[in-house]
Amino acid sequence: PERVTLILGNRDLNKMRLTSELDNSQLALSRLAKMPGPYWVPENKRVTPLMYLRKIVAAQHNIAESSVSESQLAAANTLANRIRWMLKETMGAEGEFERR
């Protein structure tokens, strides 16, 4: 009992991420600009939650990403879209939300 070794795999860690990163406090719009993308993704390919929301709102409204308003971002900042971002941009599982 003096030494304890805990071994966690990728699936274990991803499940832990879901419980903490999907808490309502993490979905506050004020936190969105401060949230970095995943550090393990090369910087030139990294997508933050804010970048992801801008991209989907722009595509839905057929506008430039620079034209997306704060109110549009607030409306798109949902639990479902955060899960989609996590799956696509941090876990390499694009489309899994829709397949479940």
Side-chain angles (χ1 to χ4, degrees), residues 21-23 26-28 32 35 49 52-53 76-87:
E21 291 183 42
L22 297 176
D23 185 74
Q26 299 300 311
L27 293 175
L32 205 53
M35 293 186 70
Y52 178 78
L53 290 178
N77 189 27
T78 64
L79 186 60
N81 281 334
R82 183 63 57 89
I83 294 171
R84 286 182 182 102
W85 169 78
M86 290 177 75
L87 289 170

